[in-house]
């Protein structure tokens, strides 16, 4: 009597477990930024919990480019997609290898896994990948003048070589980052050319007022850094020199300084006024 009751409980319990059985969350490993020309591996890890695998499908955006079907022969299928070159010899149910990636294959990659009968469960996960075409060299930095006096405004332009996507440019004075909140961005929309990714030349302009504290032993370093994720970093530095070093008291008591004091905007940490004049994208 008691054993049949236990069997009944076991039956209920196991049907519940079987019913609950399903695909666990899919984990994808997609590099967020790679360089043009690289061979890359996209990974898709899944746990079927003992269920049979029906398909693994890879999509770029909404378009499928690779399928693994264990029941069919051959069990892999590749669908042509511009710029995507699947290395079939290295692709597995968990990995797809893309050769010689180009900037146009930047996009969202999705892995979709389906289990076979009886559950026909489907789950997916995705990640965004940039294929970066980095500038071929460091940016160039043009400053108005190298010899400056306290109170002077000086301007400079930092220009990067063409890249995809546009670089991030930041400015430093004596190694201290000039805050972005003091920058004004101006983006010029490049005209549409073709299906290939547009490249950009980034020009970033800075204008700052020289303060007494700008100088360290009569010199100051202004630099611009252009970067693309963790793939590219280019830097150019300019040295500013004090034109007429003056004794401290005369500079403080100078009537010209007193007059302009109230109009002067100061950043306590930097003690300079920075106006980023322009930051624009120019079509290659
Ligand atoms: C920076 O670029 C602007 C706009 O092209 C130009 O007017 C200015 O003279 C440039 N400044 C320097 C220091 O090259
Ligand atoms: C630019 O900087 C932002 C903020 O740090 C970062 O999220 C973004 O990925 C960077 N873009 C590039 C192209 O490096």
């Amino acid at each position: 009597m008691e054993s049949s009751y236990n069997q009944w409980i076991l039956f209920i319990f196991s049907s519940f477990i079987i019913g609950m059985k399903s695909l666990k969350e899919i984990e994808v490993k997609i590099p967020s930024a790679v360089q043009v020309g690289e061979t890359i591996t996209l990974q898709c890890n899944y746990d079927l919990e003992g269920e049979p695998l029906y398909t693994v499908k890879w999509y770029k955006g909404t378009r499928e480019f690779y399928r693994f079907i264990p029941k069919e022969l051959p069990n892999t299928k590749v669908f042509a997609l511009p710029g995507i070159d699947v290395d079939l010899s290295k692709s597995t149910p968990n990995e797809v290898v893309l050769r010689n990636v180009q900037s146009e294959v930047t996009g969202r990659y999705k892995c979709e896994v389906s289990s076979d009968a009886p559950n026909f469960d489907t789950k997916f996960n995705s990640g965004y990948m940039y294929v970066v075409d980095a500038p071929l060299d460091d940016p160039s930095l043009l400053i108005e003048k190298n010899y400056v006096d306290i109170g002077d405004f000086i301007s400079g332009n930092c220009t990067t070589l063409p890249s995809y996507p546009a670089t991030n440019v930041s400015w430093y004075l004596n190694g201290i980052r000039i805050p972005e909140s003091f920058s004004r961005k101006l983006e010029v929309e490049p005209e549409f050319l073709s299906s290939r990714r547009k490249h950009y030349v980034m020009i970033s302009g800075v204008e700052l007022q020289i303060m007494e504290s700008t100088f360290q032993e009569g010199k100051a370093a202004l630099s611009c850094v252009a970067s693309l994720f963790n793939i590219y970093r280019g830097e150019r530095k300019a040295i500013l020199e004090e034109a007429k070093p003056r004794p401290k008291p005369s500079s403080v008591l100078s009537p010209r300084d007193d007059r302009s004091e109230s109009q002067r905007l100061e950043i306590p940490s930097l003690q300079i006024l920075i106006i980023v004049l322009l930051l624009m994208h120019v079509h290659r």
Side-chain angles (χ1 to χ4, degrees):
M1 183 69 190
E2 191 173 317
S3 89
S4 77
Y5 173 77
N6 283 346
Q7 273 165 18
W8 187 74
I9 290 290
L10 191 66
F11 172 74
I12 299 279
F13 188 67
S14 48
S15 350
F16 182 71
I17 292 292
I18 288 160
M20 287 295 285
K21 210 162 146 184
S22 70
L23 220 55
K24 281 195 176 165
E25 291 311 311
I26 310 284
E27 184 209 38
V28 287
K29 280 189 187 153
I30 293 161
S32 55
V34 298
Q35 250 175 309
V36 158
E38 275 188 68
T39 291
I40 54 129
T41 302
L42 308 177
Q43 266 187 47
C44 185
N45 299 318
Y46 44 87
D47 182 358
L48 294 156
E49 296 203 301
E51 280 190 85
L53 174 67
Y54 179 49
T55 56
V56 177
K57 294 175 177 177
W58 276 97
Y59 297 82
K60 178 186 176 262
T62 56
R63 296 185 60 188
E64 187 182 353
F65 62 89
Y66 175 79
R67 187 184 294 180
F68 178 81
I69 326 154
K71 274 187 181 170
E72 289 179 15
L73 272 175
N75 48 34
T76 50
K77 259 189 196 154
V78 168
F79 305 91
L81 212 64
I84 292 198
D85 178 10
V86 175
D87 186 344
L88 266 183
S89 70
K90 296 204 176 96
S91 299
T92 70
N94 291 97
E95 281 180 354
V96 58
V97 175
L98 307 182
R99 282 183 289 224
N100 188 26
V101 292
Q102 297 301 314
S103 52
E104 60 260 45
V105 304
T106 292
R108 182 159 292 279
Y109 288 80
K110 181 173 88 172
C111 173
E112 187 186 274
V113 178
S114 302
S115 64
D116 210 338
N119 286 334
F120 304 105
D121 203 5
T122 295
K123 282 211 166 65
F124 61 86
N125 206 342
S126 69
Y128 201 88
M129 180 176 79
Y130 269 100
V131 180
V132 170
D133 198 358
L136 293 171
D137 205 345
D138 288 336
S140 59
L141 173 55
L142 260 179
I143 56 168
E144 202 183 0
K145 52 189 178 184
N146 287 88
Y147 291 90
V148 290
D149 209 348
I150 289 159
D152 282 0
F153 281 93
I154 82 133
S155 66
N157 288 334
C158 185
T159 308
T160 68
L161 289 171
S163 69
Y164 174 80
T167 59
N168 273 340
V169 175
S170 40
W171 290 89
Y172 294 82
L173 186 69
N174 298 324
I176 298 165
R177 175 96 179 248
I178 297 171
E180 241 164 83
S181 57
F182 287 86
S183 71
R184 200 156 46 93
K185 285 189 186 182
L186 214 150
E187 248 177 55
V188 179
E189 273 293 320
E191 62 189 88
F192 185 75
L193 252 197
S194 67
S195 64
R196 278 187 62 95
R197 298 279 171 175
K198 285 167 248 166
H199 284 57
Y200 303 93
V201 166
M202 182 65 110
I203 304 170
S204 175
V206 73
E207 186 176 81
L208 52 93
Q209 188 178 22
I210 304 301
M211 311 293 279
E212 261 186 84
S213 58
T214 306
F215 293 111
Q216 294 171 353
E217 291 168 5
K219 286 187 177 158
L222 178 67
S223 56
C224 77
V225 173
S227 63
L228 277 168
F229 307 103
N230 53 358
I231 285 181
Y232 166 84
R233 187 182 186 280
E235 179 171 6
R236 200 67 82 171
K237 192 185 272 186
I239 302 295
L240 306 173
E241 288 190 50
E242 197 170 358
K244 294 174 245 162
R246 283 173 298 182
K248 229 177 180 177
S250 81
S251 138
V252 166
L253 299 173
S254 144
R256 200 194 62 179
D257 276 11
D258 289 342
R259 197 181 54 232
S260 61
E261 202 70 54
S262 60
Q263 299 153 358
R264 204 178 281 167
L265 211 105
E266 289 191 28
I267 310 160
S269 63
L270 294 170
Q271 302 232 301
I272 50 159
L273 169 68
I274 300 130
I275 307 155
V276 172
L277 281 178
L278 52 121
L279 184 62
M280 57 190 190
H281 294 171
V282 177
H283 194 246
R284 185 185 231 175

